[in-house]
Amino acid sequence: MTAVQQTSPGSELDALFPSPSSPPDVLSPPRYPGVSPEAAAALTHVLKDNYTKYHIFFNYRRFHNHITHRALALYATGAGGSLIEQFYKQDGANQRPAIKSPEAITEENFIKHLGDENFYAAYKTFFSKVIEERGVSATLEKYIFSRKYNFVEGRDASAQPVMLARFLGGLFHAFIHVGYGAEFGIPGMVVEGLALTSVHEPEFLPSYLFEPSGTTAVEEATTRLASLVLNTKISVAPFQLEQPQKNHTFSILAKIMQDSKFAPKEIKKYFKDFDGLMSEHGDTIWRYAEQWTIDPSQPGEIERKMEECIWTSTILYTIGGWNKDRGLRADFFFMHLVTSSLFLPSLLPYLPQDSQVLLLRGYFASTLGWWITRGFPRLDIQGFLSATSHISSETKVANPFLDIVQSAMTHPDNHILKIQRAFGHFSSLYGARPKGSFGDTELEGAEALDGSLFLRAARLTEEYMSERAWSQEGFPAMD
């Protein structure tokens, strides 16, 4: 395939990559002080240049281009324009050039070319036109959450479009990409994320998810459906959301650890094989996700369930990655559970209620799948909390997160800033949660958790990454 620099008229690029807007929701990450015209100009240049010059995969093993992710995380944490440009030069050195697609993508051939990375540019062109015409919310609803673009009557199971599975697939990278677009009000990021979704490989998705729900047009019209810029959205603050917990994500974790289907000897063959696990046990994993109570008729329910996903991702990375003998092993794959969950507060407001529920369940099911396929590490909550109790008391700076994020901004690894920004934001939302907040769940030791978890996670990550790289080892199951 011939390398080519894609050309887009200046006005089109300006529309795709405007200056960032305010965060779309009160629960979205706020911007740190330091934003400047210089930084905004540098960011816009990086986003436009990357869009025209580079492919979404930086090698032929389908590893994802992270240029825009780092640039936006730097901008969000107050970096100057020179630092944004410096890292762009570094990150751009190993990218694949953009290539011209064999033909244009249309509604007629949309499904035919799914999964083919040679059509990434064509899918970008397609989605840029669709979003210009329909807006972000309607585009997501049609191409990610509708039955038409997930299951087509009469098609073989292996040839189904399953766009929701592709959206959450590839270790959440398309979800993250679109999440950045939602958080910063940048349609070009949504375009790229949906094009990436389209060239991801298919993964397991149960067809029953897309059976008619019975939601009326009036009910649907009253749900939160955001415009591209959600400046006027008002959400429910975290401490106004206390309700009976019913079947919490933590309880689902407890249940699945007791399931003989996932005993160590049964899951060994799926170690580091997410696709194999989901092909064989995806239906069971989704059934567990279906047991998770989500009642949208309750005020604040979506915000509560989003919080459960955030705590779950954090404990799997932090406590699942820890044991008393070696401390934290900062797993590369579990890290993505944390960095992706940061975008739930910004992406959920773009969706109607049924799709919010579907996204949350899909996100949770994928999280469970990654937990199992990385070796299904057990969660020694009490041991972890006892061993790390010194972290808060030994803090020597006025605000430890400012110190942690400042250090992460100049770290050569592009994921460090992203996970520390996530932990900092989660601490701001949920750091005041007291012990006992999760006492009604079935997860052993959960009653001892409190909001200090996020600082502990950030400090341990900082210490680990100061000496080594992300771990790829996983946590091999023992018989």
Side-chain angles (χ1 to χ4, degrees):
M1 198 63 61
T2 305
V4 61
Q5 180 167 326
Q6 285 191 283
T7 57
S8 298
S11 58
E12 180 184 328
L13 278 177
D14 290 343
L16 288 172
F17 298 102
S19 292
S21 64
S22 299
D25 192 274
V26 69
L27 299 183
S28 298
R31 308 288 148 74
Y32 285 58
V35 171
S36 66
E38 174 203 25
L43 174 67
T44 302
H45 167 254
V46 169
L47 300 183
K48 291 178 179 178
D49 208 49
N50 175 75
Y51 185 86
T52 57
K53 281 186 179 178
Y54 299 125
H55 199 280
I56 197 64
F57 298 130
F58 73 78
N59 63 19
Y60 291 95
R61 297 170 63 190
R62 300 172 72 90
F63 289 7
H64 297 88
N65 173 344
H66 287 74
I67 284 173
T68 56
H69 298 189
R70 190 195 313 245
L72 284 159
L74 284 167
Y75 179 84
T77 50
S82 60
L83 188 61
I84 293 171
E85 291 281 6
Q86 174 189 322
F87 276 117
Y88 178 46
K89 184 176 181 180
Q90 174 183 308
D91 294 340
N94 65 347
Q95 301 296 324
R96 285 172 56 190
I99 57 174
K100 185 177 180 180
S101 298
E103 65 175 333
I105 292 296
T106 64
E107 290 284 358
E108 289 68 34
N109 69 0
F110 183 93
I111 294 175
K112 176 182 177 182
H113 297 300
L114 289 174
D116 187 342
E117 67 181 69
N118 293 316
F119 284 86
Y120 172 66
Y123 280 110
K124 279 201 308 183
T125 301
F126 175 84
F127 280 115
S128 67
K129 294 176 182 175
V130 172
I131 286 176
E132 182 182 13
E133 294 169 2
R134 301 173 62 93
V136 169
S137 294
T139 300
L140 290 172
E141 187 63 15
K142 177 176 179 179
Y143 292 96
I144 300 299
F145 296 99
S146 73
R147 180 176 178 84
K148 176 181 178 180
Y149 285 92
N150 283 280
F151 291 96
V152 177
E153 201 71 38
R155 287 183 76 91
D156 185 75
S158 63
Q160 292 291 355
V162 290
M163 284 290 283
L164 177 60
R166 296 176 197 267
F167 184 59
L168 296 171
L171 200 52
F172 301 108
H173 277 86
F175 170 86
I176 291 169
H177 215 96
V178 172
Y180 273 114
E183 180 184 339
F184 291 88
I186 298 177
M189 290 296 294
V190 180
V191 166
E192 289 181 336
L194 291 176
L196 172 57
T197 300
S198 304
V199 300
H200 269 162
E201 298 290 342
E203 292 180 357
F204 176 82
L205 191 68
S207 60
Y208 65 77
L209 297 171
F210 296 91
E211 298 303 325
S213 68
T215 303
T216 68
V218 172
E219 289 170 333
E220 194 68 11
T222 61
T223 61
R224 302 196 312 164
L225 183 60
S227 61
L228 179 60
V229 180
L230 300 178
N231 305 20
T232 59
K233 295 303 299 177
I234 300 298
S235 185
V236 184
F239 273 93
Q240 296 172 293
L241 304 181
E242 304 304 331
Q243 291 285 340
Q245 291 177 327
K246 301 181 182 177
N247 228 351
H248 194 281
T249 53
F250 287 2
S251 296
I252 304 301
L253 300 185
K255 294 176 193 294
I256 203 167
M257 282 192 283
Q258 300 303 315
D259 192 332
S260 60
K261 290 190 185 71
F262 302 112
K265 64 180 180 179
E266 299 296 329
I267 64 166
K268 270 189 173 181
K269 63 182 175 179
Y270 303 113
F271 182 54
K272 298 186 179 181
D273 182 10
F274 180 84
D275 292 342
L277 173 75
M278 297 305 284
S279 295
E280 186 69 25
H281 293 294
D283 190 61
T284 300
I285 290 170
W286 264 93
R287 291 296 179 187
Y288 275 108
E290 288 287 330
Q291 292 178 38
W292 178 32
T293 306
I294 307 179
D295 181 4
S297 69
Q298 295 295 318
E301 181 78 342
I302 296 301
E303 289 84 357
R304 275 190 299 277
K305 297 304 164 178
M306 175 187 74
E307 179 181 349
E308 290 180 29
C309 284
I310 287 169
W311 279 91
T312 298
S313 294
T314 301
I315 68 165
L316 292 182
Y317 166 81
T318 309
I319 302 177
W322 178 92
N323 73 26
K324 59 184 174 60
D325 298 320
R326 55 166 163 73
L328 176 70
R329 178 183 293 166
D331 185 76
F332 179 79
F333 295 83
F334 285 174
M335 170 267 292
H336 282 86
L337 304 183
V338 178
T339 59
S340 60
S341 65
L342 179 64
F343 297 99
L344 288 169
S346 297
L347 192 50
L348 285 166
Y350 278 70
L351 306 176
Q353 192 175 85
D354 284 355
S355 296
Q356 290 177 328
V357 173
L358 190 54
L359 179 63
L360 286 166
R361 286 206 194 281
Y363 185 85
F364 183 47
S366 293
T367 297
L368 293 174
W370 282 110
W371 178 33
I372 295 168
T373 199
R374 295 303 293 166
F376 210 18
R378 300 293 129 150
L379 304 171
D380 181 7
I381 295 174
Q382 292 284 8
F384 172 85
L385 294 175
S386 295
T388 60
S389 60
H390 64 283
I391 290 178
S392 297
S393 61
E394 291 181 359
T395 296
K396 295 181 174 64
V397 294
N399 185 330
F401 267 109
L402 294 179
D403 180 54
I404 289 167
V405 170
Q406 178 77 12
S407 174
M409 290 171 74
T410 54
H411 196 287
D413 187 286
N414 73 80
H415 290 94
I416 299 295
L417 177 58
K418 291 181 282 188
I419 196 170
Q420 301 294 36
R421 183 170 86 103
F423 285 141
H425 183 54
F426 301 157
S427 179
S428 73
L429 291 179
Y430 312 124
R433 289 281 185 261
K435 290 181 181 180
S437 295
F438 306 108
D440 292 338
T441 75
E442 298 173 34
L443 183 62
E444 184 179 353
E447 70 281 356
L449 287 168
D450 64 24
S452 70
L453 176 64
F454 303 108
L455 177 58
R456 298 180 200 223
R459 274 293 184 219
L460 291 176
T461 300
E462 181 181 52
E463 292 170 8
Y464 183 95
M465 294 300 295
S466 69
E467 300 176 351
R468 70 211 93 175
W470 298 107
S471 173
Q472 304 275 348
E473 296 174 51
F475 308 89
M478 306 297 289
D479 289 330

